[in-house]
Amino acid sequence: IHESLNPYVMASRYENYWSLLHSLKFVEYAPSPVEKGYLTLLSSELLNGKRPQELLVMKWLCEEGPLEHSEIASRFQEMDLDHGDTCFTTIERILNLEWFTDQQRKTFGGTPLAIRKDSVFKLSEEFRSLYDSYAADWSPSSFRSHVDDVIETGLLLNRKHYGASDKLIRGKRYSRRDTCRLLNWAKNQESTIYGYKTDAVSGTCPIFITYHKDADISESIRYEDTLLNQSTLHWFSRNRRTLASRELQPILSNAVDLHLFAKREDADGTDFYYLGQVDATNPQQTTMLGKNDQKVDVVTTDLKLRVPLPVDLFESLTARKNVAATP
C-alpha cells in the first residue's frame, strides 16, 4: 500500500487513520476525543517522516519507558542525527505541545504526548495510561496499535524519502511549519514568516518565494524575484526597507544560515521546494511601485546557491504559469 498510496495524505485528510476507517465503516468505534487528539497530532505533524527524532523518541519511550537525555543524544549521534541542545528543545516543545499555537494545541487535545523532567524524557501520565490500557495485539480499534503504526510508518517514510536524515533535502517539498521544525525553532511561527524571517536562537533564516505571482496580487507585494540562472536568485526584500533596515542585517551580512524555498505559483499549494542554502551578495537599495503607483524603498540582493539547481527543477520553477511542469 505504501507504494501506491501516500499514508500521510490518507491519514491527515481525516485527521488520523482510525477516524478514516470509522468514516468508511470499516470499524464500529471511532477514537475517543482524547485518542483522536493524540493521533491527530502524530498523524498531521510526524507521520510525514520529514525528520525522525520525535518519532524515535516516542518509539523508545513507548517500548522502554523513561530515558535520560544523554542516552537519547547518544543514540542520535550514532545515527548521525542532530543531538544538540537547540534540537532537543524543539523536540521537547513539540511533544509537550508548547511548540504549537493555541488553536493547534486545542485541536490536539491540549495534553502532552511526552515531557522532560530535569534530564529525563518520559510519556505523559495520560498518554502512558491510555497506551498501556490496550493489549499489544494489533486491532483496528486499538489506540496502541494506531500509535505504533503511525510511528513505524513515519520512520519508514523518513527512510524511503529522506534517506533516514533529519536534514532539509534539496528538491523535496516543505511547508513553512515543516521548516520551523527542521530548523529547530522553539515555536511554530509559520503565520508570521511573511516571505522570510530570522530566528536568532537557531541562527537560521528561511526565505520563501512564489515565482509567478497571481494577477490579483497587489502591486505593493508583487516582488520580481528572478532566477537569473541555476545558481542565482535576484531577490527583493519586503517594501519600505533600506540597506540600514535592522531586519535585513543578518541576511545581507550572511550572519545566519539562509535557506531558500520556492514554488512556481500559489496553485501549487502550501509546500515549497527546498532549493538549498544560499549566500547573499551585491545588496542594492532601489525602489518599486507601491500603492497608488507611489515609489517605495526596497532592497535587492543576489542569493547565490551553494549547489546549483538541477536543470529539471530550474525549468519547472521558471516555466510559464500556463505550462504544467513537475520535476
Side-chain angles (χ1 to χ4, degrees), residues 78-209:
E78 290 176 0
M79 302 170 76
D80 196 26
L81 298 174
D82 189 348
H83 54 283
D85 290 342
T86 307
C87 180
F88 265 98
T89 296
T90 306
I91 294 169
E92 176 187 2
R93 292 176 62 84
I94 286 172
L95 297 182
N96 70 17
L97 274 63
E98 291 179 4
W99 190 81
F100 299 99
T101 65
D102 290 343
Q103 182 55 52
Q104 287 165 350
R105 283 195 291 272
K106 184 178 179 181
T107 299
F108 302 145
T111 305
L113 279 73
I115 60 173
R116 177 165 64 172
K117 184 172 179 59
D118 298 324
S119 63
V120 176
F121 277 86
K122 63 178 183 178
L123 297 177
S124 69
E125 291 184 10
E126 295 86 349
F127 186 93
R128 176 94 259 176
S129 175
L130 186 57
Y131 182 83
D132 287 347
S133 70
Y134 283 85
D137 295 335
W138 191 91
S139 164
S141 295
S142 164
F143 172 73
R144 181 178 186 136
S145 67
H146 281 285
V147 169
D148 293 346
D149 187 55
V150 169
I151 292 171
E152 292 303 327
T153 303
L155 291 172
L156 181 150
L157 293 175
N158 176 255
R159 293 191 299 270
K160 179 179 178 181
H161 298 298
Y162 303 95
S165 170
D166 60 350
K167 305 294 190 296
L168 290 163
I169 306 296
R170 190 178 59 163
K172 297 294 186 181
R173 295 177 55 145
Y174 300 88
S175 67
R176 289 181 173 88
R177 191 187 306 182
D178 294 328
T179 303
C180 289
R181 181 162 72 98
L182 269 71
L183 292 180
N184 289 318
W185 289 19
K187 193 168 182 63
N188 175 23
Q189 300 185 54
E190 62 180 319
S191 63
T192 60
I193 290 178
Y194 304 127
Y196 59 93
K197 188 168 188 175
T198 296
D199 180 68
V201 175
S202 65
T204 61
C205 176
I207 299 171
F208 296 88
I209 69 162

